[in-house]
Amino acid sequence: MSGGRAHAGHMVRRIGVFAFFSVVLAFFSLPMLWLATAPFDANPSITVSVPEFTLANFRAILDNPYALGSLGNSVLQAGGAALVVVTLAATAAYALSRVRVPGRDALLYVLLLLSSIVTGTAAMVPIFELATRLNLIDTHLGVILTVSGGLLPAAIFILKDFMDATPTSYEESARVFGAGPVQILLHVAVPLVRPGLATIAVWAVANVWGGFLLQFILIRDPQRAPGSVVLYTLYTEGGQPDLSLLSAFSLLYSLPVVLMYLFVSTRYGFRFHGGIKR
Amino acid sequence: MISLHGLTKEFPGGVRAIDALDLEIADGEFFALLGPSGCGKTTLLRTIAGLETPTRGRVAIGGVDVTATPPGRRDVAMVFQDYALFPHMDVTDNIAYPLRIRKVPRAERRARAAETAARLSLAELLARRPGQLSGGQQQRVALARAIACHPRAFLFDEPLSNLDARLRLEARTFLKRLQRDLAVTTVFVTHDQGEALALADRVAVMSGGRIMQVGTPAEVFQRPASTFVASFIGSTPMNLLPGEVRGGGLRVAGARLPLPQEAAGLPEGAGVVYGVRPEYVDLSPAPRPGAFAGRVAVLENLGTAHLVTLEVPAEDGEPPAGSEPGGATVQAVVPEGGEPALGEAVWAAPRHERALVYHDDVLLTRAPDRAAR
Amino acid sequence: MTSDPSGLGRGGAAALVLPALVLIGVFLVFPALWTIYLGLTDYRLTGLAAADPQVVGPANYLDALGDERFLGSTWLSVQYVLGSAVIGQACLGFAIAWLVRDRRGPLRRVVEGVVLLSWILPGSVVAYLWIALLDRDGGTLNALLNTPGAAWLLDHPMLSLVVFNTWRGTAFSMMLYAAALESVPPSHLETARLAGASAFQQLRDVVLPRIRGHVLTNLLLISLWTFNDFTPFLITAGGPEGASETLPVYVYIVALRDGELGVGAAVSFLILAVNLVFALVYLRLLRARGRDADVPAPARAATRTAA
Ligand SMILES: Nc1ncnc2c1ncn2[C@@H]1O[C@H](COP(=O)(O)OP(=O)(O)OP(=O)(O)O)[C@@H](O)[C@H]1O
Ligand SMILES: [Mg+2]
């Protein structure tokens, strides 16, 4: 093997890798350029262009009757679902981790299996029916409960992992000092798995925030619709979409999840259990 | 007082960790549970605490049957091997936790925590979390937490085993003084015989879920009731040599030894085990009556003394029942400077007044001598 | 150690587990079962059959299986899964993970950052970003390629969706493969390199055998999620003329827009059955390799469950 050829081969390889990264970067950032420029453009068009800088587009959000309210609805639904999922998953995971119930592992696997196959897509008809009969159409509660039902199995599974990893001597110690089950749960078990609870909460919020189908099915009233649904109606209903409003609102609606991701990845490092996505 | 009657604990799957065990621990006593790994010490301690429910038998504390009482109402404090300090609470909150459960007002429990901490030289560390403490400090916080609630009894599960060797010695002395000052009944689990002998008022030696012997450290050290206890106690294991009664004396490893008084009742030919601690074996370079003739095989430096391992060749003629045909090994501790050279032929003479004779694995005792020991 | 360290007892444990189980039962298990029943009726959203649905037996299922529109949707779904998940996301994700594997520093962070960003933005936002990108009149793509008037979404709807979903979902494969590659001990690669193996040979002989579990896991999960993906509806709404009507879109249009709940439920059930196959294969895989660290724990994988 001649040194020159090896060197040339090395160069070709480097150039190839560099080209690949360039293409990847271009491919992935191209669609997002619009989101970065249009919201600040005085005359936003559908084409990406260097903006004539303005913040006026964000005022359009205030003028729209539903936009701002939909953010509030998203916060309510996401927060509510996170609360329900974290509370119920934590108590269930704690009990399942600490008390040996026959068939526990099988139960968890079946639930996990169900939660991965009973997707919004596969169950939209019965979920719509169920919500209609329970008078949950057009309510935040309907969205919260439906979403929570789907997220709970995985949440229980993950939290059980966290609980299993904490030594039982903490609880036993508290028990010898006279703490009852509720005190042990609140004083000892919950604080010990706080990172796990945070993970689940962030995951649930991201899920509801980015989720579309269930909200779209369950909520007809634009007063109650979350941001994802209102955003969709902005570009599908009635003629030319108002690009000022659409671009500014898209950016505003994306920010919370992006910030949450940044927070999680800097705080805990972006690892797999941070894989908070739908 | 803690008393256990016929206590048995079987785990699902059939492991019998404690086997029909009876024990009385006196008020204010520092009591050590000693035994090899897996013999059921932790299980016994946890059963006293109420963390395990016995399969059979009763536990009484202070004369009250607590077998069915939940752990929190037994008024005992336990220190776990890993200390179980709550990582999310600072030292003050950890120490005050039992008081918090007892609904002691916040100001008072903080004051009491600070007081207890000061007593264990933890005053500087009150605001730290367990993760910011050294092993020794964590151990003292765990002790402080146990002390702060003034329990009737302390239960310690190997509280020193997570410390390094030097710190362990310090903590041992500290623990002994603390227990004497508090005079609270203390049950202490350890697998380190040195720790048990050094700390305890009385020691129970356990094996396979049973108690093999209960006694003061001197008793279990000087007069182990069985060969198991004899081999378990002592920093250098006792010489246990098979022998037999022959011609009014003992034949052990090729040596003719006088028949101890306690073995006088044994018939000719009875098999015995002759036990003598290496500390009570004297070496001499010249033949002596009643000594084992051997050759120095290993020399180990113990600091101020040497442990000498002799190989005693098989006796010509018929070896005593149970002995290995290849001969026996005898160990002796000799003071600094007195050690023989490797390979040298030496004679090892046991001090007969210190020797123990076991027949059917039971220590033979002289009836009148027993009280005086 | 003990079976009940916190002293909950069976009763306490049941009380803590029950609320979660009830919620799961009502909003997850029950809908799944109900799907089967609804599929057996002529239930409609409005009209006579809405008031008094009749059981029509397996007619809906048989109709669906014989219906051209259903079969067409199924074929589109297969294209979508094979094109965007198996080929697009998995290959691109692996390529990126492989090429960034021993880089530290800004290039890796930027590449991973944009790939991740496309994954975490809300679905309705990215849908419009792609509508804008591919727009016939003012789309940035046409401006870049100098192909004014090319109607990507009308002329090549499935191709557009496949490219879109590759863009959207590569992040997951990239992260999973990055984690998998980290689990390959450097000493193994070095041994191969010392023996003179080329990059391709290292990949084939050292890396792939070790990460086979990850590859399978990844393929199963992304296929499952892509199969159930509803985002195509946001971009093309199934059009033009059903040319991009994947199964989820088909169900929505038939059942909830056109009101034929019974037919929709029958199709839903068929989707459920396909999902079940994916999930069972995945669980079998987990069980078979249970102890190996080769397959990521189900819990971790499940965190990334797609809606
Ligand atoms: N929860 C349990 N289930 C089944 N068997 C158990 C359980 N806990 C302990 N055992 C068994 O009971 C026996 C005694 O265990 P224990 O922990 O009391 O031993 P130990 O003397 O404390 O040992 P170590 O010195 O290693 O701590 C062992 O054989 C152990 O395997
Ligand atoms: Mg133990």
Side-chain angles (χ1 to χ4, degrees):
Chain A
M1 187 201 311
S2 99
R5 278 227 333 258
H7 185 70
H10 190 68
M11 280 304 290
V12 168
R13 210 183 104 77
R14 281 188 66 126
I15 292 171
V17 169
F18 184 74
F20 174 80
F21 281 135
S22 309
V23 171
V24 165
L25 274 177
F27 174 57
F28 279 92
S29 49
L30 185 62
M32 289 185 287
L33 285 180
W34 186 82
L35 192 59
T37 57
F40 307 104
D41 197 332
N43 294 302
S45 77
I46 206 164
T47 322
V48 173
S49 56
V50 180
E52 217 174 292
F53 188 81
T54 175
L55 288 175
N57 293 338
F58 289 92
R59 198 159 313 127
I61 296 174
L62 296 179
D63 299 338
N64 185 282
Y66 304 122
L68 213 52
S70 76
L71 287 180
N73 294 335
S74 279
V75 168
L76 269 179
Q77 292 169 7
L83 194 70
V84 170
V85 171
V86 166
T87 312
L88 297 193
T91 50
Y94 178 62
L96 289 174
S97 167
R98 293 318 197 212
V99 179
R100 192 153 300 152
V101 193
R104 169 188 71 181
D105 292 347
L107 175 80
L108 273 172
Y109 265 100
V110 168
L111 289 183
L112 203 59
L113 184 78
L114 271 174
S115 74
S116 55
I117 66 172
V118 186
T119 55
T121 314
M124 64 175 111
V125 177
I127 282 175
F128 174 75
E129 270 300 304
L130 188 67
T132 310
R133 296 192 185 192
L134 296 177
N135 280 327
L136 288 174
I137 295 289
D138 276 336
T139 63
H140 296 310
L141 189 65
V143 174
I144 290 170
L145 293 181
T146 315
V147 171
S148 302
L151 297 183
L152 267 172
I156 294 175
F157 212 98
I158 295 159
L159 280 182
K160 185 174 162 291
D161 259 9
F162 273 91
M163 306 245 179
D164 286 349
T166 53
T168 54
S169 58
Y170 293 122
E171 292 142 69
E172 290 176 336
S173 173
R175 214 173 141 214
V176 174
F177 292 127
V182 176
Q183 285 171 317
I184 292 177
L185 185 66
L186 293 182
H187 298 169
V188 183
V190 164
L192 283 176
V193 296
R194 214 155 20 194
L197 300 179
T199 306
I200 298 299
V202 166
W203 174 61
V205 166
N207 242 293
V208 182
W209 198 270
F212 173 80
L213 177 59
L214 286 175
Q215 289 91 324
F216 186 56
I217 294 172
L218 295 175
I219 298 207
R220 298 285 145 120
D221 177 1
Q223 297 284 0
R224 307 255 161 138
S228 57
V229 173
V230 166
L231 188 59
Y232 175 70
T233 56
L234 286 183
Y235 58 81
T236 46
E237 272 172 14
Q240 276 299 317
D242 173 356
L243 290 180
S244 310
L245 173 62
L246 186 56
S247 61
F249 189 63
S250 293
L251 187 62
L252 195 62
Y253 192 63
S254 303
L255 274 182
V257 271
V258 174
L259 292 179
M260 209 159 66
Y261 252 82
L262 284 178
F263 174 73
V264 169
S265 59
T266 49
R267 178 92 187 254
Y268 300 108
F270 196 90
R271 273 287 73 140
F272 262 124
H273 69 243
I276 24 171
K277 205 234 147 183
R278 305 175 303 129
Chain B
M1 189 172 80
I2 300 173
S3 25
L4 313 175
H5 298 288
L7 203 65
T8 299
K9 174 68 189 180
E10 276 169 26
F11 284 108
V15 181
R16 186 174 292 185
I18 312 177
D19 195 359
L21 188 143
D22 295 301
L23 189 62
E24 300 265 326
I25 297 167
D27 272 334
E29 191 170 29
F30 199 148
F31 193 90
L33 289 173
L34 174 66
S37 185
C39 70
K41 309 177 295 285
T42 298
T43 308
L44 181 56
L45 199 71
R46 290 167 57 85
T47 313
I48 298 173
L51 292 169
E52 305 282 358
T53 319
T55 316
R56 275 184 296 283
R58 285 178 295 118
V59 178
I61 300 179
V64 182
D65 189 326
V66 295
T67 315
T69 309
R73 299 231 207 89
R74 296 189 178 195
D75 199 16
V76 298
M78 184 155 170
V79 172
F80 289 75
Q81 185 172 350
D82 60 3
Y83 310 140
L85 295 177
F86 304 130
H88 53 284
M89 296 182 190
D90 64 18
V91 169
T92 309
D93 288 340
N94 260 296
I95 298 177
Y97 186 71
L99 305 172
R100 176 173 168 194
I101 295 295
R102 290 172 197 198
K103 305 218 160 55
V104 175
R106 191 177 157 78
E108 187 188 334
R109 63 180 195 241
R110 291 187 75 88
R112 271 169 68 180
E115 192 184 312
T116 316
R119 180 166 196 174
L120 302 197
S121 346
L122 293 166
E124 318 286 286
L125 309 173
L126 282 174
R128 295 217 202 152
R129 298 258 172 127
Q132 303 164 312
L133 300 177
S134 73
Q137 292 166 337
Q138 290 183 16
Q139 190 249 3
R140 275 181 287 143
V141 175
L143 284 178
R145 184 170 65 174
I147 293 168
C149 57
H150 299 305
R152 273 193 300 192
F154 293 132
L155 307 175
F156 296 155
D157 192 358
E158 314 219 7
L160 306 180
S161 67
N162 278 350
L163 305 179
D164 63 43
R166 169 168 291 266
L167 206 54
R168 196 178 308 172
L169 284 182
E170 274 172 30
R172 198 162 92 178
T173 315
F174 176 81
L175 199 61
K176 178 124 188 172
R177 176 175 309 150
L178 187 73
Q179 200 272 344
R180 216 177 37 217
D181 292 352
L182 297 170
V184 173
T185 315
T186 302
V187 186
F188 179 98
V189 161
T190 179
H191 60 256
D192 179 339
Q193 52 87 29
E195 211 167 277
L197 296 182
L199 282 172
D201 298 328
R202 281 197 306 152
V203 179
V205 182
M206 290 183 68
S207 168
R210 294 164 183 263
I211 289 183
M212 310 309 285
Q213 184 175 6
V214 185
T216 63
E219 277 164 1
V220 294
F221 185 80
Q222 301 292 356
R223 304 195 61 80
S226 63
T227 52
F228 169 79
V229 178
S231 59
F232 193 73
I233 301 276
S235 49
T236 50
M238 187 184 279
N239 292 301
L240 290 169
L241 304 163
E244 63 181 30
V245 178
R246 200 182 293 170
L250 285 178
R251 284 286 300 275
V252 178
R256 254 169 248 279
L257 306 175
L259 190 67
Q261 195 189 336
E262 54 265 43
L266 292 180
E268 175 79 4
V272 297
V273 172
Y274 183 84
V276 63
R277 293 207 173 275
E279 291 86 348
Y280 304 141
V281 175
D282 299 316
L283 295 188
S284 71
R288 276 168 65 170
F292 308 109
R295 207 165 277 285
V296 178
V298 184
L299 269 178
E300 291 166 62
N301 192 334
L302 303 181
T304 57
H306 275 80
L307 179 64
V308 182
T309 305
L310 301 181
E311 249 159 31
V312 179
E315 209 179 346
D316 14 69
E318 173 200 1
S323 77
E324 294 155 37
T329 317
V330 174
Q331 290 189 311
V333 172
V334 296
E336 214 172 354
E339 70 271 14
L342 204 61
E344 196 180 327
V346 289
W347 280 261
R351 294 183 207 157
H352 295 300
E353 73 282 6
R354 295 291 195 176
L356 305 167
V357 180
Y358 296 89
H359 177 63
D360 285 343
D361 201 19
V362 173
L363 179 65
L364 300 179
T365 51
R366 274 170 289 183
D369 198 53
R370 193 159 188 223
R373 198 188 2 99
Chain C
M1 275 274 272
T2 166
S3 56
D4 186 11
S6 50
L8 278 178
R10 288 270 164 90
L16 289 183
V17 179
L18 210 60
L21 281 189
V22 167
L23 204 59
I24 294 171
V26 174
F27 290 96
L28 194 72
V29 181
F30 178 65
L33 298 178
W34 207 7
T35 306
I36 304 173
Y37 166 74
L38 284 176
L40 296 171
T41 66
D42 64 351
Y43 196 31
R44 294 189 53 96
L45 206 49
T46 51
L48 194 61
D52 181 24
Q54 300 293 314
V55 172
V56 295
N60 288 328
Y61 295 96
L62 297 176
D63 285 354
L65 289 174
D67 180 18
E68 291 221 346
R69 190 166 160 206
F70 170 77
L71 294 178
S73 280
T74 309
W75 173 232
L76 291 178
S77 274
V78 171
Q79 288 178 16
Y80 190 53
V81 169
L82 288 181
S84 71
V86 177
I87 298 176
Q89 296 177 7
C91 294
L92 188 56
F94 184 84
I96 298 174
W98 176 251
L99 291 174
V100 299
R101 76 187 181 286
D102 33 42
R103 282 172 192 270
R104 299 281 170 269
L107 181 66
R108 176 176 183 158
R109 277 207 299 279
V110 169
V111 168
E112 287 185 338
V114 287
V115 176
L116 268 174
L117 195 57
S118 62
W119 190 51
I120 60 181
L121 290 176
S124 4
V125 173
V126 294
Y128 187 73
L129 293 181
W130 276 75
I131 293 175
L133 177 73
L134 300 178
D135 189 76
R136 186 208 305 237
D137 301 320
T140 306
L141 188 64
N142 280 343
L144 272 182
L145 299 181
N146 205 8
T147 49
W152 300 99
L153 288 173
L154 295 180
D155 298 340
H156 308 284
M158 274 321 285
L159 180 66
S160 303
L161 288 180
V162 164
V163 175
F164 157 76
N165 197 44
T166 303
W167 176 88
R168 173 75 163 151
T170 294
F172 177 75
S173 302
M174 176 187 82
M175 287 191 301
L176 193 117
Y177 287 136
L181 290 177
E182 259 168 42
S183 76
V184 178
S187 63
H188 288 206
L189 282 172
E190 277 154 16
T191 310
R193 207 175 312 150
L194 287 178
S198 68
F200 172 74
Q201 285 167 329
Q202 288 173 35
L203 203 62
R204 187 193 59 194
D205 301 334
V206 180
V207 176
L208 281 184
R210 271 200 84 91
I211 66 167
R212 200 161 29 203
H214 287 92
V215 173
L216 279 172
T217 302
N218 182 47
L219 288 179
L220 279 167
L221 290 175
I222 60 179
S223 300
L224 182 71
W225 299 338
T226 302
F227 183 63
N228 286 274
D229 186 20
F230 193 67
T231 326
F233 177 83
L234 298 176
I235 299 178
T236 63
E241 314 215 331
S244 63
E245 194 177 73
T246 55
L247 280 176
V249 179
Y250 174 73
V251 175
Y252 176 79
I253 290 177
V254 169
L256 296 176
R257 209 187 65 192
D258 302 345
E260 291 190 56
L261 291 178
V263 179
V267 178
S268 292
F269 175 74
L270 296 173
I271 295 181
L272 267 181
V274 173
N275 289 350
L276 185 67
V277 172
F278 277 119
L280 283 179
V281 174
Y282 177 55
L283 284 190
R284 263 193 80 98
L285 191 74
L286 278 180
R287 194 121 23 104
R289 307 191 152 231
R291 302 276 141 64
D292 297 8
D294 202 18
V295 175
R300 304 237 174 91
T303 353
R304 299 160 248 139
T305 309

